[in-house]
């Protein structure tokens, strides 16, 4: 199981009331919500290995170089786009999550210059077992792969109301046959939350139709070069006008599946039955008031034995 950590703790921050506080009256809603999510996922799906995947770079230079608008609206003012604007009450909670994961013995991994999406895609590609990717980001539907037993557990409506996506669900909901086709559709459709303009006048249904004809976004560009109206149909003019964007989009939209081992080394992702550092965990509990959430996680971990 691979967790899109930022997706989960942002959702916890906005979903758990601000009134959930530490003994010193500091907000711990993101911490508590994140731990409760882990407890539920481990209890429900019983993974043997789990990695909390991290954004070591939330806006990688190679994506910005390809498309300068990428996440530009989410950058903190006056910081040259290097730092994401994060709610002030969330920022101090993230290091607490890091410390709690270490004390529990739950693996956490990021890679310099890459987003958590790339970490998850690379770890899924390396895996020698079925993989569940947990995220609230639809972009990760592109890693769905029935042949490799890679599914996405989509938590857009909350962890307890998650939806399991395999290729049949992608086909049913979006009209695309597999993960790479979803990535092409996402590029055509665009995503304002990530600063991706898409192709004006082309939505999900039209994008899916074009990709069924062309196979891939690269195939669509070849059809544009060849003037193949059997593929392009009435959308030829719109696609031609957006040619520069379509050439750049895959560099932004497509996840990286081959981060070099020097940046993303192998780690022991085995879920522990007991905490790695009970004393540190007790100190964190006393400092931040996490008892009930930690108990739920510890119970879920122990129940796997």
């Amino acid at each position: 199981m691979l967790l899109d950590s930022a997706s989960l703790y942002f959702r916890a921050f906005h979903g758990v009331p601000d009134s959930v506080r530490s003994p010193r009256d500091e907000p711990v809603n993101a911490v508590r919500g994140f731990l409760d999510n882990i407890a539920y996922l481990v209890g429900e799906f019983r993974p043997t290995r789990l990695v909390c995947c991290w954004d070591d770079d939330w806006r990688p230079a190679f994506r910005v170089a390809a498309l300068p608008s990428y996440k530009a609206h989410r950058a903190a003012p006056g910081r040259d786009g290097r730092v994401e604007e994060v709610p002030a009450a969330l920022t101090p909670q993230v290091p607490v999550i890091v410390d709690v994961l270490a004390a529990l013995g739950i693996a956490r991994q990021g890679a310099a210059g890459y987003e958590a999406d790339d970490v998850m895609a690379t770890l899924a590609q390396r895996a020698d077992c079925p993989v569940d990717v947990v995220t609230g980001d639809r972009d990760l539907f592109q890693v769905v792969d029935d042949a490799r037993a890679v599914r996405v557990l989509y938590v857009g409506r909350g962890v307890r109301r998650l939806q399991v996506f395999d290729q049949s669900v992608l086909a049913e909901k979006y009209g695309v046959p597999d993960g790479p086709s979803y990535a092409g559709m996402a590029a055509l459709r665009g995503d304002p939350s990530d600063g991706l303009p898409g192709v004006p006048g082309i939505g999900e249904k039209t994008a899916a139709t074009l990709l069924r004809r062309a196979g891939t976004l690269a195939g669509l560009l070849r059809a544009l070069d060849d003037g193949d109206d059997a593929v392009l149909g009435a959308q030829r003019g719109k696609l031609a006008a957006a040619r520069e964007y379509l050439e750049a989009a895959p560099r932004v939209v497509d996840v990286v599946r081959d981060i070099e081992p020097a940046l993303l080394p192998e780690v022991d992702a085995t879920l522990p039955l007991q905490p790695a550092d009970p004393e540190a965990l007790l100190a964190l509990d006393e400092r931040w008031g996490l008892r009930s959430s930690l108990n739920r996680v510890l119970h879920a971990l122990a129940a796997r034995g």
Side-chain angles (χ1 to χ4, degrees), residues 6 13 36 47 71 74 77 93 97 135 142 162 165 168 189 192-193 234-235 247 252 254 258:
F13 175 78
D36 289 346
K71 294 185 177 179
R74 289 157 54 182
Q93 297 189 58
I97 292 173
T135 183
Q142 65 185 282
L162 64 79
F165 275 79
S168 67
R189 175 198 65 208
S193 69
Q235 311 305 321
E247 289 178 343
V252 179
D254 293 358
D258 57 355

Side-chain angles (χ1 to χ4, degrees), residues 23-204:
R24 301 183 189 180
D25 199 35
E26 302 143 307
V28 289
N29 51 338
V31 182
R32 291 275 300 273
F34 186 81
L35 292 173
D36 289 346
N37 287 339
I38 288 180
Y40 175 79
L41 291 163
V42 171
E44 188 75 11
F45 293 93
R46 304 181 74 84
T48 56
R49 289 181 279 175
L50 185 147
V51 179
C52 291
C53 300
W54 222 252
D55 281 318
D56 277 12
D57 191 336
W58 74 286
R59 192 172 178 241
F62 70 89
R63 290 194 167 103
V64 176
L67 195 68
S69 65
Y70 181 61
K71 294 185 177 179
H73 63 294
R74 289 157 54 182
R79 301 298 295 272
D80 299 325
R82 298 179 187 275
V83 177
E84 184 175 16
E85 190 167 25
V86 177
L90 172 59
T91 299
Q93 297 189 58
V94 177
V96 181
I97 292 173
V98 171
D99 290 343
V100 171
L101 291 174
L104 286 167
I106 294 176
R108 183 179 69 88
Q109 269 194 296
Y114 293 96
E115 297 178 65
D117 293 17
D118 305 311
V119 173
M120 287 183 281
T122 298
L123 293 179
Q125 189 69 27
R126 293 179 185 174
D128 58 359
C129 63
V131 176
D132 282 340
V133 173
V134 182
T135 183
D137 185 351
R138 292 191 301 168
D139 287 345
L140 277 161
F141 290 162
Q142 65 185 282
V143 303
V144 168
D145 186 339
D146 287 2
R148 296 184 56 82
V150 179
R151 310 183 300 180
V152 167
L153 308 185
Y154 180 63
V155 298
R157 297 186 300 173
V159 168
R160 293 179 180 271
R161 300 174 64 199
L162 64 79
Q163 299 169 279
V164 179
F165 275 79
D166 57 13
Q167 286 181 214
S168 67
V169 179
L170 280 183
E172 177 186 350
K173 289 187 173 291
Y174 296 104
V176 294
D178 53 29
S181 296
Y182 183 87
M185 187 192 73
L188 287 164
R189 175 198 65 208
D191 185 350
S193 69
D194 279 341
L196 299 175
V199 178
I202 293 184
E204 283 185 353

Side-chain angles (χ1 to χ4, degrees), residues 198-282:
V199 178
I202 293 184
E204 283 185 353
K205 290 184 178 180
T206 302
T209 299
L210 289 167
L211 287 165
R212 284 197 297 271
R213 296 173 189 164
T216 63
L217 190 57
L220 193 59
L221 290 173
R222 286 194 296 272
L224 196 58
D225 289 336
D226 297 340
D228 187 349
D229 285 339
V231 172
L232 304 174
Q235 311 305 321
R236 181 176 183 177
K238 295 174 184 176
L239 294 166
R243 176 64 185 260
E244 184 177 352
Y245 161 73
L246 290 173
E247 289 178 343
R251 184 69 171 153
V252 179
V253 174
D254 293 358
V255 290
V256 177
R257 301 169 187 263
D258 57 355
I259 299 175
E260 51 268 42
L263 293 177
L264 191 66
E266 296 290 338
V267 298
D268 183 3
T270 305
L271 270 176
L273 296 176
Q274 298 179 346
D277 191 338
E279 290 186 5
L281 199 62
L282 179 60

